[in-house]
Amino acid sequence: ADFGVAPGNYRVYATRGIEYGLGSTRIKIEAGEHAKRTMDLRREVDTRGWIACDTHIHTLTHSGHGDATIGERMATLVGEGIELPIATEHNKHVDYAEDASRLAVASGFTPLIGNEVTTPNGHFNIFPVEAGADIPHHQQTDWGRLFDDIFAVPRVRVAILNHGRDLHGGFRPLSPRHHISIAGERLDSRPLRFNAMELLNSGAIQTDPMQLFKDWCGLLNRGLSVTPVGSSDSHDVTRFIVGQGRTYIRCNDDDVANLDIEAAMDAFVQGRVLVSYGLLATLSVNEQFGPGETVLLEDDTDSILVTASLRAPSWAQPESIALYVNGRPQRSAQVSTGGKTQSLVDETYRWRIPLSQFAGDAWICVVAKGAGIEEPYWPTAKPYQPDSIDFAPYTFACSGPIRVDVDRDGQVSSAHQYARHIVDRFSGDLAGVMNALEPLDRAVAIQAVSILASGQMAPAEVARAVDASSDKVRGAFADYQLARRQSMIVQLEQNE
């Protein structure tokens, strides 16, 4: 790269996303002088068999804001190692293929036509889109009709709920006004027909790195099949780096210029993905089943072996890793770098979990967190819409869910399905409901309370039955009641 600077002393960095190390050199340059430096980048994070995808990409050329022209976007995509970039210009179907070919970077990735369907009541990234297809009607606020339009677009298989906690046009999709996160319960009539959601948007970071993750857990416990997504939402060259937040899709990546799109979409919809923001965390069960897959157990199996791996380039600093079961942490470990701040991380963690700890079908995933990065080569952003004056920059990673068929009936029941079965079975018998919930997962109790709260039972009668139940059920009831009270407050105050 050739560029001009004023005379002075400089440090120059070279990076290529999380899969590569860091190049760095110092330069002292005088007026009229030409200085040359060479930096070598070493591959540090192995992602073979995983396609690096950014599902949320914009340009100044087509979206009209930000600063990345279409030419600059092509350069940044190949520079950051994004192998499957999705063009998601606002309410437009744009194909990056011609520009990639014109600028001689077509060998670096397989571009895909998408669209950020930008409505008054939420933004949704959709793909793949057939060239020349009609644009969905994006002015409507009826989600039922909107999703009918979206999935009527030829080839479309994915609809992502974007930045669900952000306020746009006076509407916040996952606001407590509309949604009880802990139970994945919708309070308005909008159907939740998206099949993926952003857990990490590096251009619209949340103050709490776990907020969208918790929202996603509630949806899974509700019984929805929702793929977790990391994306950049980049409109810029350097202010928000394209591919900083990204999704790795489990698929053959040998020829990045000719990726098998249908195979990649199959894997994406099934949840065979990893969410990455500076770190990469993978998960397997019995060294056989990975994210997006269902663990089928033999009759004599009494435990499972869960293996998590954490990888990070030498310039990132992971701090912790945790195994989540039905949305709650069950195992964890601190990450040790031996006191080194520039240490390549490639660690493996194994946990043997007795099936008796599950008490029913379950889903598991792994979450890793680390320190934010302040240096100019890969700065992590401040919150887009902060909800506190306190903020600690962070990096983040999680895996797609692995479902475990603990009861061996050939299918994995959600917490909501367990709860619905119990409530229906003990129709009107609240004591029977509470007793049946006792041996099951806490997520089932939360779903049961949600079902009872939306039914015909008198709240005081439900409260009396809960008071006579176990600590676990009382705790689930208290957490749900707190969330519902917060929803009532914002509804009364008409806040988003």
Side-chain angles (χ1 to χ4, degrees):
D2 285 298
F3 51 92
V5 294
N9 295 304
Y10 295 89
R11 178 181 288 277
V12 180
Y13 296 102
T15 58
R16 193 170 189 250
I18 74 154
E19 299 176 25
Y20 285 80
L22 176 68
S24 175
T25 186
R26 290 191 178 276
I27 295 176
K28 181 178 181 181
I29 194 165
E30 305 292 344
E33 183 182 1
H34 185 274
K36 181 178 180 179
R37 298 289 188 276
T38 299
M39 290 172 282
D40 294 323
L41 299 184
R42 182 170 62 91
R43 183 150 197 156
E44 294 186 339
V45 178
D46 184 3
T47 61
R48 285 173 294 182
W50 295 92
I51 294 172
C53 175
D54 191 342
T55 62
H56 200 157
I57 300 170
H58 296 279
T59 65
L60 170 64
T61 304
H62 294 291
S63 284
H65 56 292
D67 62 23
T69 65
I70 189 66
E72 290 169 325
R73 178 55 73 227
M74 296 303 98
T76 53
L77 287 172
V78 74
E80 294 298 324
I82 299 301
E83 298 160 339
L84 183 61
I86 316 294
T88 53
E89 311 288 1
H90 295 284
N91 301 317
K92 293 181 180 179
H93 298 162
V94 176
D95 190 350
Y96 289 163
E98 182 177 341
D99 293 293
S101 179
R102 175 176 58 86
L103 294 166
V105 295
S107 63
F109 51 77
T110 300
L112 201 58
I113 303 173
N115 179 349
E116 182 169 19
V117 182
T118 308
T119 83
N121 283 174
H123 298 188
F124 303 90
N125 280 348
I126 68 171
F127 56 88
V129 172
E130 186 175 288
D134 291 338
I135 305 292
H137 177 36
H138 54 271
Q139 292 300 324
Q140 60 190 343
T141 57
D142 183 322
W143 279 14
R145 294 179 181 177
L146 175 66
F147 285 114
D148 285 344
D149 273 4
I150 284 173
F151 288 111
V153 175
R155 291 192 67 200
V156 166
R157 298 183 58 189
V158 174
I160 301 173
L161 173 64
N162 293 344
H163 36 66
R165 285 277 173 167
D166 291 352
L167 184 68
H168 288 285
F171 182 80
R172 193 188 309 271
L174 296 179
S175 162
R177 184 176 184 178
H178 310 288
H179 191 79
I180 297 182
S181 172
I182 193 173
E185 178 185 348
R186 199 68 193 170
L187 298 176
D188 56 29
S189 59
R190 294 181 176 89
L192 303 179
R193 288 172 56 192
F194 50 85
N195 56 3
M197 70 169 283
E198 291 181 344
L199 271 58
L200 190 291
N201 180 316
S202 58
I205 285 296
Q206 299 289 301
T207 303
D208 177 2
M210 299 299 287
Q211 179 60 73
L212 288 167
F213 175 83
K214 294 173 185 175
D215 295 334
W216 174 66
C217 293
L219 294 175
L220 264 60
N221 287 333
R222 197 74 178 181
L224 278 69
S225 181
V226 180
T227 297
V229 173
S231 71
S232 72
D233 197 0
S234 175
H235 298 71
D236 311 283
V237 175
T238 59
R239 187 169 69 106
F240 297 112
I241 302 169
V242 72
Q244 193 170 36
R246 61 178 67 185
T247 304
Y248 281 93
I249 305 172
R250 187 63 168 167
C251 204
N252 186 303
D253 64 340
D254 289 342
D255 184 359
V256 297
N258 297 284
L259 295 173
D260 185 335
I261 296 302
E262 291 307 312
M265 293 302 99
D266 286 344
F268 187 95
V269 170
Q270 292 164 12
R272 287 154 46 199
V273 301
L274 307 173
V275 173
S276 173
Y277 181 45
L279 314 173
L280 195 69
T282 63
L283 187 68
S284 70
V285 172
N286 296 340
E287 299 182 344
Q288 178 183 359
F289 303 96
E293 297 178 337
T294 297
V295 179
L296 301 176
L297 301 170
E298 300 293 337
D299 290 340
D300 59 350
T301 303
D302 60 4
S303 67
I304 60 173
L305 175 64
V306 178
T307 304
S309 69
L310 176 60
R311 304 169 194 161
S314 55
W315 43 268
Q317 296 180 47
E319 297 173 335
S320 65
I321 187 168
L323 177 72
Y324 279 70
V325 178
N326 287 346
R328 288 175 64 82
Q330 297 296 328
R331 301 285 193 280
S332 64
Q334 295 301 115
V335 180
S336 174
T337 58
K340 299 178 181 178
T341 57
Q342 294 288 318
S343 176
L344 178 64
V345 173
D346 189 352
E347 297 291 335
T348 300
Y349 306 84
R350 291 183 174 86
W351 297 290
R352 174 68 67 175
I353 304 179
L355 293 182
S356 59
Q357 292 189 10
F358 287 104
D361 293 346
W363 63 270
I364 65 175
C365 74
V366 67
V367 173
K369 290 183 284 186
I373 297 167
E374 299 180 358
E375 287 78 3
Y377 52 79
W378 211 83
T380 48
K382 295 180 179 179
Y384 172 61
Q385 293 177 346
D387 54 27
S388 170
I389 61 173
D390 298 317
F391 173 66
Y394 56 84
T395 48
F396 176 89
C398 79
S399 70
I402 300 178
R403 294 172 173 85
V404 186
D405 180 20
V406 176
D407 61 17
R408 299 174 175 88
D409 65 353
Q411 60 184 8
V412 177
S413 298
S414 68
H416 186 77
Q417 288 172 308
Y418 277 111
R420 171 56 69 185
H421 174 74
I422 291 171
V423 172
D424 290 347
R425 177 186 170 195
F426 294 94
S427 178
D429 178 7
L430 289 176
V433 170
M434 301 305 154
N435 288 334
L437 292 174
E438 169 54 28
L440 297 177
D441 190 89
R442 186 175 180 277
V444 179
I446 289 173
Q447 293 296 321
V449 174
S450 170
I451 293 170
L452 292 170
S454 60
Q456 301 302 315
M457 288 284 184
E461 188 177 354
V462 175
R464 283 195 295 272
V466 170
D467 285 342
S469 65
S470 67
D471 289 345
K472 179 171 65 177
V473 176
R474 287 198 302 272
F477 181 81
D479 288 346
Y480 177 82
Q481 285 295 89
L482 176 60
R484 193 161 188 101
R485 188 176 300 114
Q486 291 172 339
S487 292
M488 293 174 64
I489 291 170
V490 297
Q491 287 170 2
L492 289 169
E493 296 178 346
Q494 297 186 346
N495 290 329
E496 285 289 320

